[in-house]
Amino acid sequence: MTRFKLIINSFIHYLKANLLVAAGVAMSTAVLTGALIIGDSVRFSLEQSAYYRLGSTTHLVSTVDRYFRSDLANEMAVRGGFEVAPILLLEGIAVTDGGAERVNKVQITGIDDHFGKAANSHLYTNLSENEVVISENLAERLHLKTGDSFLVRIKKASLIPLNAPFVSDAETSVSMNAVVKAIADQRTMGFFNLKNSQTAPYNLFLTLSKLNKLMKFEGKANRLLISAPSKNNQQISDILRNCFTISDAGLKIKGIPSSHEYELTSERVFIDDQIITAFESIRYSHPVLTYFANSIAFNGRTTPYSFVSTIGDNSLKDNEIIINNWLASDLNARRGDSIALTYYEIGPLRQLAEKGSKFVIREVVPIEGKYADKDLMPNLPGMSDAGHCREWEAGVPIRLGSIRDKDEAYWNQYKGTPKAFISLNKAHQLWANRFGNYTAIRINENFFSEKEVREVFAASVKPENLGIMVTSVRENGLKAARNGVDFSQLFLGLSFFLLVAALILTALLFLLNLENRKSQLGTLLMIGFTRSQIRRLFLGEGAIVAVTGALFGSLIAVAYTRIIFIALNSLWWEVVRTTVLEIDITTPTLITGLIISIVMSMLTILISVNRSFKRQAIELQQRQDHPQGRVTAVIKKVGMVISLSLAVGLIAIQLPGNQQSSAALFFISGCLLLIGLLLFADYWLRRSGQKSVDNFTIRHLNSRNRSQNLSRSLTVITLFALGTFLVVSTGANRMDLSKATDKSSGTGGFHFFAESSIPVLFSLNDKDRRKTEGLPAEFSAAQFSKIEGDDASCLNLNRVSNPAILGADPEILKDRFSFASVSPELKNDKVWEALNRPLTHGVIPAIADQTVIQWGLGMNIGDTLNYRNEMGNSLRLKLIAGLSPSVFQGYVLISNTNF
């Protein structure tokens, strides 16, 4: 009989015992290979998600709180030779059944026929005005089908930033009745999303012209989807710059015949500093700042609501003012008199502070020439187009009762012609704001033509200076997918103890197999087989067991992974919030898992065989354990004491305070405690087995039996210890909401966290305004401004590079929340105060949730994050602290004043 045949016959003869060992191997293989398959599948799914949500789009031209011409898409397409689709991306609410069913935060996208090419679908062509295409998830939520109608409320977009001074907030949303023309699935752009996230938004698509009409726009867009795989960012940026015009920056040029000037104004009212800087080099130009004053008073007489502007007179001092003769007559004021000017300073959430300043009248002028310039009044919707003063909608409180007939007569004759003029420097001190410092630029037409003005703009103003940027969305999406959390490592880490338990179970089963064959081993030694020969025979048999178990384990891994992915896409959808999880089983992964499992199993079997062969032949026949040496006993005792001491020390470090425990410290202390207790179990079993007694009882018999085969007893104890550790550690890390009202908890003491689709432009703590808005209940609220970004919470599996930014009032958050990590130069109670520090060297203090720091951005406290705000200004956010798990998971917080 050959050695191989002997191994095969032995394997078959002890088939039941060998199959039990193979089952242990199959378990460890299933855990290991399953983790690798899940890692590959998540990465593959995220990559597929990037293709599903972007279609053929490779690059994106985007802006924040701005709008450019939709015709810019055609011009770039002609110049670049690639497909460009303009879209108007807004947000809204979908409602059915009279409000019984509603979905907030619906992504509203205005499209034209070019979008169908980006989506590689005909669903989006030939839409009529009220027809829409909705995503599959929105249809399911609202129980809609093709041909159904429903109500859509869309956040009102404005060419003027909603928080800019004197912008009316009377209309924050518009409504339309929509008819479902088609329902888009993941392969027909139903998952359209420009953010790096596998979670599909609720999408609604309608014609670009219809959405422009609803917004009272004309030919506007705020995103360009570009399909240009062969182009890089710089090439796209160069093409954008060549096509970018004054109109795309929201600027208008018109002639002012009375002063022989061109006037450059912005549809945003205030002109960006970057544009002012570009035209400062023109010798015959000067900026203008016109502001709305609440009153101008002198000697007990008051003129309500007047426009005050600047004048290009360098001799005018900061405390001097020029008034027209109508105002002088109304106030009965003359040259040299001191008059008081009051006005509103508008802060976050339209909080108003009435300020005042005094001026000395330098001159009284007639309403003619440059002092009769109606165009100095900026275009303010709700005011400029008002027929009467009492019809003004200025976005600030106006006491209509204080408007007199003579004020109406002035408006009818002169409109918004300023009644007073101050120096440019003084106006800048009083009324400069974050949206811009001037309302117009005047250029002498005798020295510059309109064409030359446009050339100066093209040469000096770059789109990126205004926050209009080109992004490689496909490349960034694939990078985010490939560089996110490595789920192979994550699941291997989570399954580590389970894997160890499976290997121990394999060793235990193999040892039981050997124990049942101890007499055979002794007989083989007695009849002349050498130890090395017997070891090779059993290792050969173990190899067959390992390979058999590993093959079955691979099949089990594939089967249970498929089952898990089916459940995640259906029953467990809330866990991942996506239906694009697709299993990806590759041959290299299966081979890798198979080889590693076989090697680990063979090492386990080798250790088991070697342990058995350390015993003498006579011991094998008599089934006696080899006594433990004195040195080994001392080493075990020292190891037990050190392990338990270190474990207790690490546990003590994590107990005090409310600080978030480190996951690494938790598992290290757990492992040390486990090792120490297992060594103590070994010590206790050996000692109890050696103890002599006078009255031998059943209890003593049990004790002797436990000590008779220490290896088996300790193996069973280890298996139960590992299982208990997994259960206890999982339960210990569950978040407890019982302390939700505690200000230092993860909720900050807040009872609710709400997010609105339509902006709330007033303070919710204003009781009178709350009653007006139909919110009579008593409550206090902390409100935040938000700039959208990628979801950085644990629901997003992609790598995050652009988290959402929240602007907060640090005073409201003071003494709330605990911090998991704080910059060394700060104390916990000083973190919120740090947000009020003035902007220095372009760095703004910022607080990031631990999720953003560890999971999303992979940053540390003290690192800086580059960010571009809504005006296009580049900011650097320095992370000064990390919040403990909180309602603000996935956000970076800065001061509201930095918005």
Side-chain angles (χ1 to χ4, degrees), residues 346-559:
I346 303 178
L349 295 174
R350 293 179 174 268
Q351 295 175 356
L352 302 175
E354 191 169 49
K355 300 293 182 71
S357 186
K358 291 187 176 181
F359 296 88
V360 175
I361 299 175
R362 172 177 168 172
E363 189 177 354
V364 177
V365 297
I367 307 176
E368 59 184 31
K370 63 182 180 180
Y371 299 111
D373 193 344
K374 299 178 182 179
D375 294 303
L376 286 173
M377 174 189 173
N379 181 30
L380 295 169
M383 294 186 72
S384 304
D385 51 1
H388 303 281
C389 296
R390 292 180 176 87
E391 295 176 354
W392 281 345
E393 294 180 358
V396 294
I398 293 181
R399 294 183 293 273
L400 298 178
S402 66
I403 298 175
R404 306 159 299 176
D405 291 340
K406 62 167 63 179
D407 299 320
E408 284 281 11
Y410 185 91
W411 177 262
N412 292 335
Q413 184 175 358
Y414 301 110
K415 285 296 182 183
T417 301
K419 297 171 185 173
F421 301 86
I422 62 176
S423 71
L424 187 66
N425 184 58
K426 184 64 175 179
H428 189 272
Q429 292 175 22
L430 297 179
W431 302 321
N433 61 82
R434 61 195 179 92
F435 298 99
N437 301 324
Y438 304 101
T439 54
I441 300 172
R442 293 290 181 92
I443 304 168
N444 194 315
E445 66 179 20
N446 295 321
F447 297 93
F448 265 85
S449 66
E450 182 178 336
K451 181 182 177 182
E452 289 173 315
V453 172
R454 294 181 183 276
E455 289 174 351
V456 169
F457 174 87
S460 305
V461 179
K462 299 177 181 179
E464 54 265 33
N465 296 143
L466 303 179
I468 300 174
M469 298 172 289
V470 176
T471 310
S472 300
V473 284
R474 176 180 290 181
E475 181 182 342
N476 290 349
L478 293 177
K479 281 183 179 178
R482 293 164 183 164
N483 297 315
V485 176
D486 189 334
F487 273 76
S488 295
Q489 294 184 15
L490 178 64
F491 274 80
L492 281 174
L494 293 173
S495 307
F496 174 74
F497 289 107
L498 187 59
L499 184 62
V500 172
L503 290 174
I504 292 175
L505 179 62
T506 301
L508 178 61
L509 292 171
F510 196 80
L511 284 171
L512 286 173
N513 187 9
L514 290 179
E515 282 200 15
N516 291 331
R517 298 162 64 179
K518 280 184 177 180
S519 298
Q520 177 194 3
L521 297 178
T523 302
L524 290 173
L525 286 172
M526 291 298 185
I527 63 176
F529 277 84
T530 65
R531 290 180 177 275
S532 61
Q533 288 174 330
I534 298 174
R535 184 184 290 110
R536 285 196 296 270
L537 288 174
F538 277 92
L539 287 178
E541 188 175 333
I544 297 175
V545 172
V547 171
T548 303
L551 289 172
F552 276 106
S554 298
L555 294 176
I556 294 171
V558 172

Side-chain angles (χ1 to χ4, degrees), residues 653-670:
I653 291 173
Q654 299 173 76
L655 285 179
N658 293 318
Q659 299 296 322
Q660 182 184 13
S661 299
S662 165
L665 284 178
F666 176 82
F667 279 102
I668 290 173
S669 57

Side-chain angles (χ1 to χ4, degrees), residues 89-101:
L89 196 65
L90 301 174
E91 194 173 275
I93 302 170
V95 181
T96 60
D97 296 333
E101 296 282 347

Side-chain angles (χ1 to χ4, degrees), residues 539-540 542-544 546-547 597-607:
L539 287 178
I544 297 175
V547 171
S597 299
I598 291 173
V599 170
M600 292 174 63
S601 301
M602 284 303 299
L603 287 174
T604 304
I605 291 171
L606 177 62
I607 292 170

